């Protein structure tokens, strides 16, 4: 496999799609040896086929705001690969959304979903709609307008969207309501649904819980636990909330949170009512973390800075892509960090990842670490198909087992000669092989 030739070709075909190209390069670098050892993959054009989405839908989303003005946003759905199951992946509503970001997320989702061991292909979608400052009615009208176009493309056995940044339980409700009306069916076409209408217990917590379950396994390889550890979390959304809950339960202390405006440092630890306050902060649609320091005056707000300058044992970046760069990585290493686990998708830049790996620090990539969210979406799909609901304990136990199995797969495929576990390599190889072998079985399609 000629990696540079493939990357040059993609750069020419998709100029400027930097996040997508970044994500593809990272995976190809890891699987280069495996592909070279398996010439049948090259002969079947597996790489050329896996790096391009099966199809991309783009559409206009017109809606009317509370002042009676017409607004127009762009909507997308990227159906990347369905070799092992229906396309599956979240919807992101954020002003930064563009095709490159959704293609990077959809590409990552293929391997993440493969790692879960559940039958789900990879997809992603969303809009450049900005939920910030919008009323509930505006959110509803936007979601309805978005679904009026999307519904043709999705279905419980075709493509099953869910939440991501800016899309939580409220948005899934509005999207589902419109789908149900248009399709005249009540099926598991979306995940992250409300508990009364087909949702699964634990799905809201799942990404954060799974992140911490995975980090717990990483720490265990060094004979360590979360007990007494200081932890930096970034973001203040769904993933950050779930991670803070589980770290606290396991005896660790979360001391930071962050938003686009800066970060919060709370030396006493973000516990109990402080974690619940995150839900309020998120629901306010203000998109700033600073109000935490008004509510809990013992906390300090650091304007325009990221939490990575704080001395911690464990770092859990849970906000967004490329939020932790090389300088941040160096600061964490200088401060003695022992484990970094990506709750968000691709939050560490390639240079930061390289530094962690060079320094042989425990580093878990998003597609393995945050797979608990989509895994629990898969469990929601199973429950919908069976028309049954599992208990909280049952779902949590399955989630825990899945995260331990993903850790094992990374270890088996990523352990280097000196015993260091390269989780990036392990996750990419394990995720890729299952999909590549399925594509081989299914022929050139
Ligand atoms: P939310 O919308 O609930 O929260 C996202 C958080 O990140 C918000 O606090 C957001 O603030 C903040 N944020 C965005 N940009 C920045 C920035 N530059 N600096 C600091 N904070 C920022 O989304 P989720 O918690 O669901 O998603 C967080 C990450 O986890 C994303 O990378 C997502 O793809 C990933 N993920 C989510 C899963 C899920 O099930 N929800 C599953 C697996 C991964 P703001 O809105 O103001 O920008
Ligand atoms: O990035 C992700 O894995 C998600 N946003 C969750 C996707 C899902 O289908 O639950």
């Amino acid at each position: 496999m000629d990696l540079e030739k493939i990357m040059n070709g993609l750069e020419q075909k998709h100029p400027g799609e930097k996040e997508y190209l970044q994500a593809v390069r990272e995976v190809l670098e890891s699987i280069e040896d495996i592909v070279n050892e398996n010439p049948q993959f090259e002969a079947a054009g597996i790489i050329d086929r896996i790096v391009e989405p099966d199809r991309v839908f783009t559409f206009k989303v017109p809606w009317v705001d509370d002042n009676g003005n017409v607004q127009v946003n762009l909507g997308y759905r990227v159906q990347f690969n369905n070799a092992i199951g229906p396309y599956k992946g979240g919807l992101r509503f954020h002003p930064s959304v563009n095709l490159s970001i959704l293609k990077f997320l959809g590409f990552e989702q293929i391997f993440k979903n493969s790692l879960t061991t559940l039958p789900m292909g990879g997809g992603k979608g969303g809009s450049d709609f900005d939920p910030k400052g919008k009323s509930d009615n505006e959110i509803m009208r936007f979601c309805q307008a978005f679904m009026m176009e999307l519904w043709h493309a999705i279905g419980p056995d075709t493509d099953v969207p869910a939440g991501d940044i800016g899309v939580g339980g409220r948005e899934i409700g509005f999207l589902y309501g419109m789908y149900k009306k248009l399709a005249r069916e009540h099926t598991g076409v979306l995940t992250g649904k409300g508990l009364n209408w087909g949702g699964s217990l634990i799905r809201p917590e799942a990404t954060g819980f799974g992140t911490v379950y995975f980090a717990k396994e990483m720490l265990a390889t060094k004979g360590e636990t979360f007990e007494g550890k200081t932890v930096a979390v970034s973001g203040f959304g769904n993933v950050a909330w779930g991670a803070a809950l589980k770290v606290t339960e396991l005896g660790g202390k979360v001391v930071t949170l962050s938003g686009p405006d800066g970060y919060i440092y709370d030396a006493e630890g973000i516990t109990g009512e402080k974690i619940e306050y995150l839900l309020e902060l998120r629901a306010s649609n203000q998109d700033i973390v600073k109000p935490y320091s008004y509510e809990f005056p013992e906390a300090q707000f650091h304007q325009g800075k990221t939490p990575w300058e704080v001395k911690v044992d464990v770092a859990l970046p849970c906000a967004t892509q490329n939020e932790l760069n090389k300088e941040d990585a160096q600061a964490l290493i200088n401060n003695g960090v022992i484990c970094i686990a990506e709750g968000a998708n691709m939050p560490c830049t390639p240079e930061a990842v390289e530094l962690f790996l060079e320094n042989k620090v425990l580093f878990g990539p998003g597609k393995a670490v945050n797979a608990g969210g989509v895994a629990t979406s898969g469990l929601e799909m199973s429950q919908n198909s069976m028309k049954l609901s599992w208990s909280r304990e049952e779902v949590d136990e399955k989630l825990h087992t899945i995260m331990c199995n993903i850790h094992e797969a990374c270890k088996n495929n990523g352990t280097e000669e000196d015993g260091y576990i390269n989780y990036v390599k392990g996750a990419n190889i394990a995720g890729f092989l299952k999909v590549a072998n399925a594509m081989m079985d299914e022929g050139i399609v």
Side-chain angles (χ1 to χ4, degrees), residues 17 22 26 54 119 166 193 197 233 270 299 327 373 377 405 412:
E17 295 189 4
Q22 178 184 338
E26 190 237 18
D54 288 351
K193 299 185 290 299
W197 41 280
V233 171
I270 296 157
E327 289 71 41
S377 280
N405 288 342
N412 291 341

Side-chain angles (χ1 to χ4, degrees), residues 88-90 109 112 124 160 162-164 191 203 345 370 373-374 377:
K88 179 83 194 90
Q109 202 80 44
K112 184 195 301 194
K124 201 84 188 187
V160 183
D164 192 78
T191 59
R203 177 62 188 91
N345 286 308
N370 69 40
V374 72
S377 280

Side-chain angles (χ1 to χ4, degrees), residues 274-294:
K274 293 176 172 177
I275 301 177
E276 291 316 305
Y277 174 72
L278 293 189
L279 298 177
E280 225 175 280
L281 200 58
R282 204 67 202 120
S284 72
N285 279 358
Q286 290 309 304
D287 278 357
I288 48 173
V289 79
K290 191 175 181 182
Y292 182 101
S293 61
Y294 307 145

Side-chain angles (χ1 to χ4, degrees), residues 245-416:
L245 276 176
K246 189 52 83 179
V247 166
T248 310
E249 194 187 308
L250 296 181
K253 183 159 82 166
V254 175
V255 292
T256 69
L257 294 170
S258 72
D261 53 334
Y263 82 91
I264 292 288
Y265 176 69
D266 188 339
E268 291 178 15
I270 296 157
T271 58
E273 56 160 350
K274 293 176 172 177
I275 301 177
E276 291 316 305
Y277 174 72
L278 293 189
L279 298 177
E280 225 175 280
L281 200 58
R282 204 67 202 120
S284 72
N285 279 358
Q286 290 309 304
D287 278 357
I288 48 173
V289 79
K290 191 175 181 182
Y292 182 101
S293 61
Y294 307 145
E295 193 73 15
F296 306 104
E298 64 274 25
Q300 299 145 18
F301 174 66
H302 296 265
Q303 177 94 31
K305 295 200 161 177
T306 58
W308 317 123
E309 60 187 22
V310 177
K311 181 173 168 47
V312 289
D313 304 307
V314 179
L316 304 177
C318 296
T320 193
Q321 65 274 358
N322 293 327
E323 54 156 317
L324 193 162
N325 63 25
K326 190 177 177 182
E327 289 71 41
D328 300 323
Q330 191 61 60
L332 284 166
I333 291 168
N334 292 347
N335 280 327
V337 73
I338 54 174
C339 173
I340 300 98
E342 295 187 324
N345 286 308
M346 209 167 75
C348 300
T349 64
E351 297 76 24
V353 176
E354 205 181 312
L355 204 61
F356 290 135
L357 299 183
E358 261 170 34
N359 282 273
K360 310 259 171 192
V361 180
L362 292 172
F363 173 76
K367 64 171 72 68
V369 174
N370 69 40
V374 72
T376 309
S377 280
L379 299 176
E380 183 173 328
M381 289 165 73
S382 308
Q383 293 170 80
N384 291 163
S385 299
M386 293 189 300
K387 308 207 184 300
L388 283 175
S389 300
W390 292 327
S391 69
R392 209 180 154 79
E393 292 70 30
E394 225 170 328
V395 180
D396 196 25
E397 196 193 310
K398 286 185 167 56
L399 167 65
H400 188 251
T401 305
I402 288 171
M403 296 317 297
C404 291
N405 288 342
I406 298 176
H407 184 271
E408 200 58 25
C410 292
K411 203 166 116 185
N412 291 341
N413 290 281
T415 302
E416 295 179 342

